[in-house]
Amino acid sequence: MLTIRNVSKTFGDTPVLHDISLEVAAGEIVCLLGPSGCGKTTLLRIVAGLEQAGAGQVLLEGRDLAGVPVHRRGFGFMFQDFALFPHRNVHDNVAFGLRMAGQSREALAGRVREMLALVGLAGLEARQVHELSGGQQQRVALARSLAPHPALLLLDEPLGSLDRTLREELMGELRRILRQTPAGSDEAAGITSIYVTHDQQEALAIADRVVIMNAGHIEQIGAPLALYRQPATPFVARFLGMENLLPGQLVDAAPDWLVATPLGLLRSTAGPAGATAGDSVLAVARPDAARLVDLAARDEENLVAGQLQEVSFRGSQVKITLSYADSQRLVFDLPGHAAGELPAPGQWLQIQLDPAGISLLAR
Ligand code: ATP
C-alpha cells in the first residue's frame, strides 16, 4: 500500500537517512524502532509530508506523493506535538477532523460515540480534556486521529509521556484497537499504521513487522518473534536487550548447530543460512535462556559455571550477572522465584542454556 523507495535526507551537512526502502502492506502495523537520533521521526515526517526527502520517493498505492501537501494525503497523526485542545471537551476534540470534513451533526455524534467506545471511553463526550488522566488523554488523541477514516495512521512515540504501568496497559490495547479499526474501504482489514518508538518492548508488542534503524539506515526488518529469535547483526541483538555475545567457531552446522565458545561447546537450534563447520560466528545467549542447575551437574549440554557478581530482584524476574574467565560477564533473567535459591554474590553457580535461547550470527 505504501512504498518508501530509496529515500535519503540530509540536514545541512549531516546525512540523517541513507537510501531507505520499505513496503507497508494494507492493514499492517509497522514499527520503526531505533535509538534516539537514528532518523525514525524524520522518516515518518517525510511520509506525512511535513518534511521533504532529499532523494527518493514515497508512493501511496503506486501514486507518487511528491508535491501532495500534508492535509491532502488523508493520513491520521498521533504525534506528541499535536496535542489535544485543552479547553474543549472530549467530543469536540474527537470531532475536530470530522468537522473539518463537513460532516452532519448526527453523523459526527455517531462517529464520536463509536470511536470513544473503541478506545474504552464510552460516555465521556462532555468531559473536559484537562479533567482526564494522562492515559485517558492519549485514548482521546487516538480516537481523534482515527475518527476521519485515515488511509494511513502515523504514530510517533504515542505512549512516550505515560508512566510504565499505563504504557504497558495501553501497549496491548493499542494493537487491538488498530486491528479492530476498519480501514476505509476494506472492512475486514485493520487500519494501516506506521509507529515510531525507541522502546523495544513496545515495538515487539504492537507491530506486525519491526524495522530496526541505526544511524539512518535499516539494520533489519522482521516479525517480532523472528527478530527476537534470529537477530541479524550485533546491533540488533544488543538493541533487543541481548547482552551476551560470544565469539565462536562452528563445529557442526544445520540441523544440529554446535559452536565452540569461550564458555565451551554450546548447542543451538538455529544458525545463519549457508554457514558450515569452521565458520566464525557470534553466539547470542538470550537473557531468558538460562535456568539454574546444581553445581554438581555434569555431562549435560550447555552447562555454564560462573561466579555470581550481582543479583537484582525485579519482582517477576531476577537479573543475575555472572563472571567467567576473570573479566567476561554474562547477564540473565531468571524467574523471580529463583531468587530464593541463589547463592550470595562471590559464590559459584551453574546454569544450563536452552539451545532454543541461543542464536548464531554470521561474522
Ligand atoms: P528521537 O527518538 O530522539 O526523536 P529519531 O530517531 O526520531 O530520534 P530524528 O528526530 O529523525 O531521530 O533525528 C535524526 C537526526 O536528524 C538527529 O541527529 C537530529 O538532531 C537531526 N534533525 C532532525 N530534525 C532536524 C532539523 N529540522 N534540522 C536539523 N537537524 C535535524
Side-chain angles (χ1 to χ4, degrees), residues 77-78 84 94 115 118-119 135-148 150 153 155 158-159 170 173-175 177-178 181 191 195:
F77 302 107
M78 193 171 164
L84 295 173
V94 177
M115 288 298 101
L118 182 71
V119 301
Q136 288 173 322
Q137 290 184 8
Q138 291 308 86
R139 288 168 192 264
V140 173
L142 182 62
R144 179 178 69 172
S145 60
L146 289 172
L153 183 64
L155 308 101
L159 308 183
L170 268 177
E173 223 185 317
L174 199 55
R175 182 172 164 84
I177 293 170
L178 296 178
T181 305
I191 188 165
Y195 188 112

Side-chain angles (χ1 to χ4, degrees), residues 76-77 83 126 151 173-174 188 196 200 209 222 268 316 330 342 349 356 361:
F77 302 107
E173 223 185 317
L174 199 55
V196 163
Q200 35 126 333
R209 273 192 313 153
S268 160
S316 63
L330 294 167
L342 288 169
L349 61 74
L361 276 60

Side-chain angles (χ1 to χ4, degrees), residues 9-12 14-17 33-45 51 156-157 196-198 213 216:
K9 176 76 183 172
T10 306
F11 284 118
T14 317
V16 173
L17 294 173
L33 173 67
S36 180
C38 72
K40 320 177 284 292
T41 296
T42 303
L43 184 58
L44 198 72
R45 288 172 60 86
E51 201 81 69
D156 192 355
E157 304 273 4
V196 163
T197 177
H198 65 275
M213 294 179 62

